[in-house]
Amino acid sequence: MTTAAQEREGVGHARYTFRLRVSSTATGALEAEWARCRWLWNECCARSKRAHAENEKCGPAQLDRMLTEARACMGWLREG
């Protein structure tokens, strides 16, 4: 929505629509990255819930260490 002041100054709006066409290779890479991100999110949520249930402290630094260890152990996670 434009205001009267914007209309007087000649300020307008433009709308752009883009379509991204991704190759099958890029689609596979994006899906693999999404799977890694989803796994990381689920691990963080599970650890946070477990810490809350056990009245432990679980902050970003602890989660970061946990995920760094997981990355060292899992090759598929290191690829991303």
Side-chain angles (χ1 to χ4, degrees):
M1 179 165 39
T2 60
T3 65
Q6 287 175 330
E7 289 176 0
R8 281 188 300 245
E9 294 175 12
V11 176
H13 292 274
R15 180 178 295 201
Y16 300 96
T17 303
F18 297 95
R19 177 171 291 172
L20 182 63
R21 294 190 178 126
V22 183
S23 68
S24 59
T25 305
T27 300
L30 288 169
E31 287 174 352
E33 190 64 24
W34 173 251
R36 284 187 286 274
C37 291
R38 189 66 187 171
W39 184 87
L40 290 170
W41 174 262
N42 289 339
E43 286 295 307
C44 288
C45 289
R47 179 64 186 111
S48 295
K49 286 179 183 179
R50 189 169 59 244
H52 180 71
E54 298 171 359
N55 291 326
E56 292 179 3
K57 195 171 186 180
C58 180
Q62 184 179 2
L63 292 174
D64 184 47
R65 281 190 299 273
M66 180 191 74
L67 295 174
T68 300
E69 290 171 9
R71 191 173 186 186
C73 296
M74 299 178 197
W76 66 270
L77 195 55
R78 276 193 302 271
E79 293 173 7

